[in-house]
Amino acid sequence: MRKGRVALTAAAALGVVATSALVTGCGSGGSDDVTLKLVAADYGDSSANGSQKYWDELTAAFEKDHPGIKVDVDVYSWDVVDDKVKEMVDAGKAPDMAQIGAYADYAAAGKLYSADRLLSIPVQADFLSETRDASQVDGVQYGLPFAASTRRLFYNKTLFEKADIEPPKTWSQLVADARALKAQGVRYPFALPLGKEEAQAETLIWTLSNGGGYIDDVGGYAIDDKRNIAAVDWLKKDLVDAGLTGPVTPAKLNRTPAFQAFAAGQVGMLAGHPTLMNMAKAKKLDYGDVAIPGPDGTPRSTMGVNDWMMAFKQGGHPDQVGDFLDYVYSEKNVLAFSREYTLAPVTVSASETMASSARDKDIRPFIDELSGATFYPANKTSWPQVSADIKAQIGTAVSGDVSAAAVLGGIQNSAAAAEAAE
């Protein structure tokens, strides 16, 4: 017997864990062997910690305890994994599960199982409440949060000491620090990666910092909100035009080379996610991280990011898929994944464990910032196209003669049209 929908808050998860044996007492059912296909993204930053190794170890342990269910996992880089799944779905060969960056298109097309058809009650209730809105389409949860992170301002302690400056708390302090770093000959006083790799994230960081964001109070797109325009204008006038963002124009600077430059000691400060800690430590860089500055201090909201797990209906076997996903989302396995790849966990149980563990002290600020974070509107089927438009166009708003108002206005018009067509 599996699993029934339930409307519980994530905070209530611990109160229902004791009933899990009753809820999930029935097994997969049936005597025939089933092989499930999972396509997943690679979170590793080297061959030593690639995600294929993680999944191979997890599936081996699962299969040992679940005779009759095999799980075949193919791992692809983030550059291609979403396209790979789309190709499979378009060819009529959808995987049983996919762990990728977006789910809403598939949910809207009726291709996905809902969470309540798959997960036991304790597992479904254990997801952090902050992720709930972004995981639902028309009030039904189809996206299963898989990995989370927020962004903080990383800074090079050695360069800051040489320049005799402190990490900034406001926009004006950030600009003053960048000027001091430039005077010391720092290659990238403030790195601003607005290239196509993740420009939608960098833009959201600084628009949220000014009280804006991509969505208005009623859930519609607000790309050209006046607070967003003011934030992009500030980036252009006070940082880019002032020569404080380094030798590569922001429109051509991607996140990965920016992170690599930081780890190599060439960047004074930039917005980064927890993976940057690993890169910095590997290079023995003395770094610090603080909250993203706001115009007058801490911003109204920080940016949160979720990656998603989803299960396709095409292959059937929802009970076996559910058994596997219950295993994936056990506290033990969420902790193992989060610690391996230095990411914030997506469940209450794992978050509470990491928040109280000395071994996880470096990532604790990122976990704390998930509360109240603002996420991409991943529940909108139009979001992938809007995100692509931001990636392609936002760099021109800080590096050319086109105004921020014009660029953001154009993206808004396209976003509104795409939303109307949903």
Side-chain angles (χ1 to χ4, degrees), residues 161-359:
E161 289 173 3
K162 288 181 179 179
D164 194 24
I165 54 177
E166 297 292 330
K169 296 181 179 179
T170 67
W171 281 6
S172 61
Q173 291 171 358
L174 187 151
V175 173
D177 284 352
R179 289 173 178 160
L181 291 164
K182 183 179 181 180
Q184 291 288 319
V186 175
R187 182 173 173 81
Y188 294 90
F190 171 75
L192 182 64
L194 289 177
K196 292 183 180 180
E197 181 180 359
E198 209 183 35
Q200 84 288 359
E202 191 72 19
T203 304
L204 185 56
I205 290 168
W206 299 106
T207 55
L208 286 173
S209 172
N210 198 37
Y214 291 152
I215 302 296
D216 61 24
D217 292 338
V218 295
Y221 285 111
I223 309 295
D224 62 348
D225 183 279
K226 64 182 181 180
R227 294 165 295 186
N228 296 344
I229 294 171
V232 176
D233 277 339
W234 169 71
L235 291 171
K236 174 178 171 56
K237 295 174 182 177
D238 287 38
L239 291 161
V240 180
D241 289 351
L244 301 177
T245 55
V248 179
T249 180
K252 295 182 179 180
L253 181 63
N254 281 320
R255 181 197 65 188
T256 297
F259 278 18
Q260 291 170 341
F262 181 81
Q266 300 175 351
V267 176
M269 51 186 162
L270 83 167
H273 54 62
T275 303
L276 186 54
M277 295 191 295
N278 295 340
M279 297 176 67
K281 290 174 182 177
K283 295 290 188 178
K284 295 181 170 41
L285 182 79
D286 191 11
Y287 74 93
D289 59 82
V290 296
I292 297 292
D296 301 310
T298 304
R300 174 184 61 83
S301 179
T302 57
M303 189 192 79
V305 175
N306 271 321
D307 301 326
W308 303 98
M309 178 75 77
M310 63 211 70
F312 288 89
K313 293 179 179 178
Q314 182 180 338
H317 310 302
D319 289 352
Q320 290 89 342
V321 170
D323 286 341
F324 178 67
L325 291 177
D326 271 2
Y327 187 79
V328 167
Y329 284 104
S330 67
E331 181 181 350
K332 177 188 72 173
N333 286 324
V334 172
L335 283 172
F337 179 85
S338 301
R339 285 168 169 165
E340 177 67 28
Y341 299 109
T342 319
L343 291 165
V346 296
T347 62
V348 173
S349 56
S351 294
E352 290 181 345
T353 297
M354 292 181 73
S356 60
S357 172
R359 67 180 288 188

